[in-house]
Short mmCIF file of all heavy atoms in Angstrom, two decimals:
data_model
loop_
_atom_site.label_atom_id
_atom_site.label_comp_id
_atom_site.label_asym_id
_atom_site.label_seq_id
_atom_site.Cartn_x
_atom_site.Cartn_y
_atom_site.Cartn_z
N PHE A 111 -5.46 -59.93 50.07
CA PHE A 111 -4.19 -59.71 49.39
C PHE A 111 -3.14 -60.11 50.42
O PHE A 111 -3.01 -59.54 51.50
CB PHE A 111 -3.99 -58.34 48.89
CG PHE A 111 -4.84 -58.00 47.68
CD1 PHE A 111 -6.13 -57.75 47.80
CD2 PHE A 111 -4.20 -57.92 46.40
CE1 PHE A 111 -6.91 -57.44 46.69
CE2 PHE A 111 -4.99 -57.63 45.34
CZ PHE A 111 -6.33 -57.46 45.46
N LEU A 112 -2.29 -61.11 49.96
CA LEU A 112 -1.43 -61.67 51.06
C LEU A 112 0.04 -61.78 50.54
O LEU A 112 0.30 -62.19 49.40
CB LEU A 112 -1.82 -63.12 51.42
CG LEU A 112 -0.88 -63.90 52.36
CD1 LEU A 112 -1.20 -63.31 53.79
CD2 LEU A 112 -1.38 -65.36 52.36
N THR A 113 0.97 -61.18 51.32
CA THR A 113 2.41 -61.31 51.01
C THR A 113 2.98 -62.34 51.93
O THR A 113 2.32 -62.87 52.82
CB THR A 113 3.13 -59.99 51.16
OG1 THR A 113 2.97 -59.54 52.44
CG2 THR A 113 2.62 -58.94 50.21
N SER A 114 4.18 -62.73 51.68
CA SER A 114 4.83 -63.74 52.46
C SER A 114 5.02 -63.28 53.89
O SER A 114 5.18 -62.13 54.22
CB SER A 114 6.20 -64.18 51.88
OG SER A 114 7.09 -63.09 51.80
N PHE A 115 5.08 -64.26 54.85
CA PHE A 115 5.37 -64.00 56.22
C PHE A 115 6.85 -64.20 56.46
O PHE A 115 7.45 -65.26 56.00
CB PHE A 115 4.56 -65.00 57.10
CG PHE A 115 3.11 -64.77 57.22
CD1 PHE A 115 2.24 -65.29 56.38
CD2 PHE A 115 2.68 -63.80 58.15
CE1 PHE A 115 0.84 -65.04 56.47
CE2 PHE A 115 1.32 -63.49 58.30
CZ PHE A 115 0.39 -64.10 57.40
N GLU A 116 7.53 -63.28 57.08
CA GLU A 116 8.94 -63.41 57.41
C GLU A 116 9.19 -64.01 58.76
O GLU A 116 8.48 -63.72 59.72
CB GLU A 116 9.60 -62.00 57.36
CG GLU A 116 9.29 -61.28 56.06
CD GLU A 116 10.21 -61.60 54.90
OE1 GLU A 116 11.40 -61.89 55.30
OE2 GLU A 116 9.81 -61.56 53.78
N SER A 122 7.82 -74.11 55.40
CA SER A 122 6.91 -73.54 54.39
C SER A 122 5.61 -74.27 54.24
O SER A 122 4.52 -73.66 54.21
CB SER A 122 7.67 -73.38 53.07
OG SER A 122 6.84 -72.89 52.05
N MET A 126 1.90 -72.79 54.92
CA MET A 126 0.90 -72.64 53.87
C MET A 126 -0.38 -73.44 54.27
O MET A 126 -1.49 -72.93 53.98
CB MET A 126 1.46 -73.12 52.58
CG MET A 126 2.55 -72.27 51.94
SD MET A 126 2.05 -70.52 51.64
CE MET A 126 3.11 -69.66 52.72
N ILE A 129 -2.20 -71.24 56.79
CA ILE A 129 -2.88 -70.06 56.19
C ILE A 129 -4.07 -70.52 55.40
O ILE A 129 -5.08 -69.89 55.44
CB ILE A 129 -1.84 -69.33 55.24
CG1 ILE A 129 -0.74 -68.64 56.07
CG2 ILE A 129 -2.51 -68.38 54.32
CD1 ILE A 129 0.42 -68.06 55.31
N ILE A 141 -8.24 -65.05 46.88
CA ILE A 141 -7.02 -64.73 47.47
C ILE A 141 -5.96 -64.29 46.39
O ILE A 141 -5.99 -64.90 45.33
CB ILE A 141 -6.37 -65.87 48.25
CG1 ILE A 141 -4.96 -65.54 48.79
CG2 ILE A 141 -6.31 -67.12 47.48
CD1 ILE A 141 -4.95 -65.25 50.28
N HIS A 142 -5.32 -63.08 46.64
CA HIS A 142 -4.29 -62.66 45.67
C HIS A 142 -3.06 -62.76 46.49
O HIS A 142 -2.69 -61.96 47.40
CB HIS A 142 -4.60 -61.20 45.34
CG HIS A 142 -5.90 -61.06 44.56
ND1 HIS A 142 -5.90 -61.03 43.07
CD2 HIS A 142 -7.14 -61.06 44.87
CE1 HIS A 142 -7.19 -60.97 42.77
NE2 HIS A 142 -7.94 -61.00 43.77
N ALA A 143 -2.16 -63.70 46.10
CA ALA A 143 -0.95 -64.02 46.83
C ALA A 143 0.23 -63.35 46.04
O ALA A 143 0.33 -63.50 44.90
CB ALA A 143 -0.71 -65.49 46.95
N ILE A 144 1.02 -62.69 46.85
CA ILE A 144 2.20 -61.92 46.24
C ILE A 144 3.44 -62.38 46.80
O ILE A 144 3.64 -62.54 47.95
CB ILE A 144 1.99 -60.36 46.58
CG1 ILE A 144 0.66 -59.86 46.15
CG2 ILE A 144 3.18 -59.52 45.89
CD1 ILE A 144 0.13 -58.64 46.85
N GLY A 145 4.40 -62.75 45.83
CA GLY A 145 5.75 -63.22 46.26
C GLY A 145 5.84 -64.71 45.93
O GLY A 145 4.93 -65.44 46.03
N LYS A 146 7.13 -65.12 45.68
CA LYS A 146 7.40 -66.49 45.32
C LYS A 146 6.99 -67.49 46.46
O LYS A 146 6.60 -68.59 46.23
CB LYS A 146 8.91 -66.61 44.98
CG LYS A 146 9.23 -65.87 43.68
CD LYS A 146 10.67 -66.01 43.38
CE LYS A 146 10.91 -65.26 42.12
NZ LYS A 146 12.20 -64.57 42.01
N GLU A 147 7.18 -66.97 47.75
CA GLU A 147 6.93 -67.90 48.85
C GLU A 147 5.51 -68.19 48.95
O GLU A 147 5.06 -69.26 49.53
CB GLU A 147 7.32 -67.21 50.15
CG GLU A 147 8.83 -66.84 50.22
CD GLU A 147 9.15 -65.48 49.56
OE1 GLU A 147 8.21 -64.77 49.14
OE2 GLU A 147 10.28 -65.20 49.44
N THR A 148 4.59 -67.39 48.42
CA THR A 148 3.16 -67.66 48.53
C THR A 148 2.56 -68.52 47.42
O THR A 148 1.37 -68.98 47.53
CB THR A 148 2.34 -66.41 48.58
OG1 THR A 148 2.50 -65.68 47.34
CG2 THR A 148 2.83 -65.51 49.76
N GLN A 149 3.36 -68.88 46.40
CA GLN A 149 2.79 -69.51 45.25
C GLN A 149 2.29 -70.93 45.61
O GLN A 149 1.31 -71.35 45.08
CB GLN A 149 3.90 -69.61 44.16
CG GLN A 149 3.36 -70.16 42.80
CD GLN A 149 4.34 -69.94 41.72
OE1 GLN A 149 5.50 -69.59 41.96
NE2 GLN A 149 3.88 -70.10 40.54
N SER A 150 2.91 -71.58 46.56
CA SER A 150 2.53 -73.02 46.95
C SER A 150 1.24 -72.91 47.73
O SER A 150 0.63 -74.05 47.95
CB SER A 150 3.61 -73.67 47.68
OG SER A 150 3.89 -73.09 48.92
N LEU A 151 0.77 -71.84 48.23
CA LEU A 151 -0.49 -71.76 49.00
C LEU A 151 -1.69 -72.46 48.28
O LEU A 151 -2.51 -73.08 48.83
CB LEU A 151 -0.79 -70.35 49.34
CG LEU A 151 -2.09 -70.02 50.04
CD1 LEU A 151 -2.15 -70.80 51.40
CD2 LEU A 151 -2.31 -68.61 50.22
N ASN A 152 -1.69 -72.29 46.90
CA ASN A 152 -2.73 -72.76 46.13
C ASN A 152 -3.01 -74.30 46.28
O ASN A 152 -4.06 -74.81 46.15
CB ASN A 152 -2.55 -72.43 44.62
CG ASN A 152 -3.88 -72.62 43.86
OD1 ASN A 152 -4.91 -72.50 44.29
ND2 ASN A 152 -3.65 -73.01 42.58
N PHE A 161 -7.87 -68.31 43.41
CA PHE A 161 -6.49 -67.97 43.77
C PHE A 161 -5.79 -67.31 42.60
O PHE A 161 -5.81 -67.83 41.43
CB PHE A 161 -5.69 -69.32 44.11
CG PHE A 161 -4.26 -69.06 44.43
CD1 PHE A 161 -3.87 -68.69 45.78
CD2 PHE A 161 -3.31 -69.26 43.55
CE1 PHE A 161 -2.60 -68.43 46.16
CE2 PHE A 161 -1.91 -69.10 43.90
CZ PHE A 161 -1.60 -68.69 45.13
N TYR A 162 -5.10 -66.20 42.90
CA TYR A 162 -4.30 -65.44 41.85
C TYR A 162 -2.95 -65.23 42.52
O TYR A 162 -2.82 -64.87 43.65
CB TYR A 162 -4.96 -64.16 41.53
CG TYR A 162 -6.41 -64.34 41.06
CD1 TYR A 162 -7.50 -64.28 41.91
CD2 TYR A 162 -6.67 -64.47 39.65
CE1 TYR A 162 -8.78 -64.42 41.42
CE2 TYR A 162 -7.93 -64.65 39.19
CZ TYR A 162 -9.01 -64.63 40.09
OH TYR A 162 -10.30 -64.80 39.64
N HIS A 163 -1.95 -65.47 41.69
CA HIS A 163 -0.55 -65.32 42.23
C HIS A 163 0.12 -64.23 41.41
O HIS A 163 0.03 -64.25 40.17
CB HIS A 163 0.23 -66.66 42.14
CG HIS A 163 1.57 -66.42 42.74
ND1 HIS A 163 2.71 -66.24 41.89
CD2 HIS A 163 2.10 -66.33 43.99
CE1 HIS A 163 3.77 -66.14 42.59
NE2 HIS A 163 3.38 -66.13 43.87
N TYR A 164 0.90 -63.49 42.09
CA TYR A 164 1.77 -62.40 41.46
C TYR A 164 3.16 -62.49 42.05
O TYR A 164 3.36 -62.70 43.23
CB TYR A 164 1.19 -61.01 41.79
CG TYR A 164 -0.29 -60.94 41.53
CD1 TYR A 164 -1.17 -61.17 42.53
CD2 TYR A 164 -0.69 -60.44 40.31
CE1 TYR A 164 -2.56 -61.12 42.36
CE2 TYR A 164 -2.16 -60.33 40.06
CZ TYR A 164 -3.00 -60.61 41.05
OH TYR A 164 -4.38 -60.59 40.86
N ASP A 165 4.18 -62.43 41.19
CA ASP A 165 5.51 -62.47 41.61
C ASP A 165 5.93 -61.27 42.45
O ASP A 165 6.87 -61.35 43.35
CB ASP A 165 6.48 -62.74 40.48
CG ASP A 165 6.36 -64.07 39.89
OD1 ASP A 165 6.10 -65.00 40.60
OD2 ASP A 165 6.55 -64.25 38.67
N SER A 166 5.32 -60.10 42.13
CA SER A 166 5.76 -58.87 42.83
C SER A 166 4.54 -57.95 42.99
O SER A 166 3.55 -58.09 42.42
CB SER A 166 6.80 -58.11 41.97
OG SER A 166 6.20 -57.75 40.69
N THR A 167 4.81 -56.95 43.84
CA THR A 167 3.81 -55.91 44.07
C THR A 167 3.54 -55.13 42.76
O THR A 167 2.40 -54.78 42.49
CB THR A 167 4.28 -54.97 45.19
OG1 THR A 167 4.52 -55.74 46.39
CG2 THR A 167 3.21 -53.91 45.48
N GLU A 168 4.52 -54.94 42.02
CA GLU A 168 4.42 -54.22 40.73
C GLU A 168 3.47 -54.94 39.76
O GLU A 168 2.61 -54.34 39.14
CB GLU A 168 5.81 -54.06 40.09
CG GLU A 168 5.76 -53.30 38.78
CD GLU A 168 7.17 -53.13 38.22
OE1 GLU A 168 8.18 -53.36 38.92
OE2 GLU A 168 7.14 -52.83 37.03
N GLU A 169 3.56 -56.28 39.87
CA GLU A 169 2.67 -57.07 38.98
C GLU A 169 1.15 -56.87 39.39
O GLU A 169 0.32 -56.85 38.60
CB GLU A 169 3.13 -58.54 39.03
CG GLU A 169 2.41 -59.41 38.04
CD GLU A 169 2.87 -60.87 38.04
OE1 GLU A 169 3.91 -61.16 38.60
OE2 GLU A 169 2.04 -61.71 37.54
N VAL A 170 0.93 -56.87 40.67
CA VAL A 170 -0.38 -56.65 41.20
C VAL A 170 -0.83 -55.32 40.81
O VAL A 170 -2.04 -55.17 40.32
CB VAL A 170 -0.42 -56.70 42.73
CG1 VAL A 170 -1.84 -56.35 43.30
CG2 VAL A 170 0.01 -58.08 43.22
N LEU A 171 -0.05 -54.23 41.01
CA LEU A 171 -0.47 -52.84 40.61
C LEU A 171 -0.77 -52.78 39.16
O LEU A 171 -1.72 -52.06 38.76
CB LEU A 171 0.64 -51.91 41.05
CG LEU A 171 0.84 -51.74 42.55
CD1 LEU A 171 2.07 -50.88 42.81
CD2 LEU A 171 -0.35 -51.22 43.27
#
Side-chain angles (χ1 to χ4, degrees):
F111 285 76
L112 178 72
T113 58
S114 59
F115 287 92
E116 306 277 327
S122 179
M126 292 301 119
I129 292 171
I141 176 104
H142 295 263
I144 305 158
K146 291 178 183 146
E147 301 83 6
T148 62
Q149 192 164 12
S150 65
L151 177 60
N152 194 32
F161 179 82
Y162 303 90
H163 181 262
Y164 310 90
D165 288 327
S166 66
T167 303
E168 183 179 341
E169 190 179 343
V170 175
L171 294 174

